[in-house]
């Protein structure tokens, strides 16, 4: 089959690789009808995520048609259209039973390796390094889905692929980020990063009762989307001091909640601290560029909440933890418990509360994927979200 594969920093290719096969009786194989490039895929492209191997198949935003089922699988049948969560969960361990699906105890075959780095292992993830399982991803013509009786959901016939594709990751991720922000009716919410997750965090903040949403970025197309579709107030960090601006906009109190949708690769030109982070990463003295996290801590009102859906990889330097402690801030973060949100958010799409396709700017086949990775990373051609159809 054709698939997008990783071959080193900055080297993404469209290769011919082996077709997937059933490995466990609970597996299914899907013919991928629609997949997407995610912002967190860029951390792989840029070499920030360890334990990648040459030839690994990328991608974790995927849906498609069931073409094969394991002998013990009874949830789906051949021909069903399904959307697949980016994290893999067994449904039986203590964490899954308590709705903490991204912390599944059984789905990462390399859990011991992950525990050495993190203390305990999170769930396995599609297409996201051998530290979290080495599973091949869904930017491919076909995908093996383990524990398929737990994660995927069937797509109603009345919905097209693009309406439901983002249930695989970015819509639940933006929603859980807003939920983690503890938004109360009328709250002011500041959101750093107006990429796809940030756009869905904006939508979700309104759904949860925010009275005011302030979105922060510097890319004109992203700010325009946040403003025009998201109805958010916007700040361009390239020409505004964000702390001063947020204090002025909130009468000196600060936002009630701050959401970091940027994560490890904050813009290296934003401020002196982000330039230093970039320099450290270049000479392997650091792994992350946590400028946004620092700024959110300073900006958030006393007693407020910071939500972190943005991916961080390793150790972060110079976090003002004294400020966080003395301001009494609450932090909530983590990979999304996607399975928890699939049905409720599907209903929001079905009812017309939201049309997730608003973020799509580019559509292509797999062969164009390597070039579009670069276009997306470099924020060229107004690229906000790339959707690919492997069989077109």
């Amino acid at each position: 089959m054709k698939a997008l594969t990783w071959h080193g920093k900055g080297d993404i290719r469209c290769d011919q690789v082996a077709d997937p096969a059933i490995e466990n009786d609970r597996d299914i194989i899907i013919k991928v009808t629609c997949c997407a490039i995610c912002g967190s895929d860029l951390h792989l492209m840029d070499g920030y995520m360890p334990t990648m191997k040459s030839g690994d198949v990328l991608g974790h935003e995927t849906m498609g048609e069931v073409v094969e089922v394991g002998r013990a699988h009874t949830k789906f049948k051949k021909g069903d259209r399904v959307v697949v969560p980016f994290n893999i969960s067994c449904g039986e361990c203590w964490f899954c039973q308590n709705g903490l699906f991204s912390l599944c105890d059984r789905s990462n075959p390399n859990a011991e390796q992950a525990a050495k780095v993190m203390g305990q292992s999170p769930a396995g993830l599609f297409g996201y390094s051998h530290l979290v399982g080495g599973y091949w991803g869904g930017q491919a013509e076909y995908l093996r889905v383990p524990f398929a009786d737990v994660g995927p959901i069937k797509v109603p016939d009345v919905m097209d692929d693009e309406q439901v594709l983002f249930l695989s990751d970015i819509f639940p991720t933006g929603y859980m980020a807003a939920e983690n922000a503890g938004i109360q009716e009328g709250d002011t919410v500041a959101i750093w990063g107006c990429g796809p997750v940030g756009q869905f965090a904006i939508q979700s903040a309104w759904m949860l009762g925010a009275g005011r949403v302030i979105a922060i970025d510097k890319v004109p197309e992203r700010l325009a989307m946040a403003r025009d579709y998201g109805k958010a107030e916007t700040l361009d960090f390239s020409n505004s001091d964000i702390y001063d601006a947020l204090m002025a906009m909130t009468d000196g109190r600060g936002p009630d909640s701050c959401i970091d949708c940027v994560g490890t690769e904050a813009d290296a030109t934003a401020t002196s601290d982000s330039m230093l982070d970039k320099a450290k990463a270049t000479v392997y003295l650091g792994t992350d560029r946590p400028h946004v996290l620092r700024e959110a801590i300073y900006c958030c009102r006393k007693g407020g909440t910071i939500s972190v859906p943005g991916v961080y990889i390793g150790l972060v330097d110079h976090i003002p933890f004294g400020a966080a402690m003395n301001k009494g801030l609450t932090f909530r973060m983590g990979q999304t418990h996607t399975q928890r949100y699939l049905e409720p958010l599907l209903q929001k799409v079905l009812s017309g509360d939201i049309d997730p396709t608003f973020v799509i700017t580019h559509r292509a086949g797999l062969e164009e994927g390597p070039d579009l990775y670069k276009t997306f990373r470099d924020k060229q051609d107004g690229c906000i979200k790339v959707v690919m159809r492997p069989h077109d």
Side-chain angles (χ1 to χ4, degrees), residues 314-369:
L315 305 177
V316 290
D317 289 345
H318 294 94
I319 297 301
F321 204 75
M325 182 271 170
N326 284 287
K327 291 175 70 173
L329 300 182
T330 296
F331 289 80
R332 298 191 69 186
M333 63 197 79
Q335 297 283 5
T336 308
H337 306 305
T338 316
Q339 293 84 343
R340 183 194 299 175
Y341 299 99
L342 289 175
E343 289 290 350
L345 296 185
L346 176 65
Q347 293 306 312
K348 288 186 178 294
V349 180
L350 270 171
S351 66
D353 289 347
I354 185 171
D355 177 4
T357 64
F358 77 92
V359 296
I360 301 173
T361 54
H362 290 64
R363 295 172 173 88
L366 283 180
E367 295 86 351
E368 299 163 87

Side-chain angles (χ1 to χ4, degrees), residues 19-254:
D19 291 339
I22 296 289
E23 297 179 19
N24 182 282
D25 286 348
R26 295 170 68 183
D27 291 352
I28 62 172
I29 305 290
I30 66 167
K31 175 184 177 180
V32 177
T33 57
C34 210
C35 60
I37 300 174
C38 182
S40 54
D41 289 328
L42 300 182
H43 306 323
L44 307 179
M45 182 184 186
D46 291 341
Y48 280 89
M49 188 70 187
T51 71
M52 291 294 292
K53 296 181 180 179
S54 184
D56 283 347
V57 176
L58 300 169
H60 58 266
E61 293 184 320
T62 313
M63 65 165 299
E65 178 185 332
V66 177
V67 294
E68 192 173 351
V69 299
R71 288 181 298 177
H73 185 90
T74 59
K75 183 177 180 181
F76 301 116
K77 63 182 185 303
K78 292 182 181 180
D80 285 345
R81 293 168 62 231
V82 298
V83 61
V84 181
F86 75 92
N87 32 26
I88 302 166
S89 307
C90 74
E92 298 170 344
C93 70
W94 185 90
F95 293 96
C96 288
Q97 290 291 305
N98 284 275
L100 303 173
F101 296 100
S102 71
L103 305 176
C104 176
D105 245 350
R106 298 180 182 175
S107 62
N108 183 2
N110 300 326
E112 185 175 336
Q113 182 182 3
K116 289 179 180 178
V117 177
M118 306 180 198
Q120 289 87 30
S121 172
L125 305 180
F126 286 106
Y128 216 76
S129 87
H130 292 261
L131 194 67
V132 286
Y135 292 99
W136 277 14
Q139 290 169 4
E141 292 184 301
Y142 295 90
L143 174 69
R144 179 179 78 93
V145 183
F147 301 110
D149 50 346
V150 177
I153 60 168
K154 187 175 178 179
V155 176
D157 292 338
V158 296
M159 306 182 78
D160 65 40
D161 287 358
E162 291 183 355
Q163 287 180 291
V164 295
L165 173 62
F166 302 138
L167 293 174
S168 61
D169 180 1
I170 56 173
F171 186 11
T173 295
Y175 192 88
M176 185 171 122
E179 193 174 74
N180 278 348
I183 298 167
Q184 302 296 309
E185 194 73 29
D187 273 359
T188 296
V189 182
I191 297 174
W192 277 256
C194 295
V197 169
Q199 299 292 340
F200 281 109
I202 292 168
Q203 297 296 318
S204 301
W206 292 124
M207 291 178 190
L208 294 172
R212 193 177 184 190
V213 177
I214 303 169
I216 302 158
D217 207 299
K218 76 169 187 180
V219 181
E221 296 84 1
R222 293 183 175 194
L223 289 168
M225 184 177 285
R227 185 170 53 250
D228 298 340
Y229 190 88
K231 309 304 179 187
E233 301 167 69
T234 57
L235 291 173
D236 181 341
F237 67 77
S238 68
N239 58 32
S240 297
D241 182 290
I242 297 304
Y243 175 85
D244 288 347
L246 288 175
M247 291 306 110
M249 295 169 79
T250 59
D251 296 326
R253 190 174 76 172

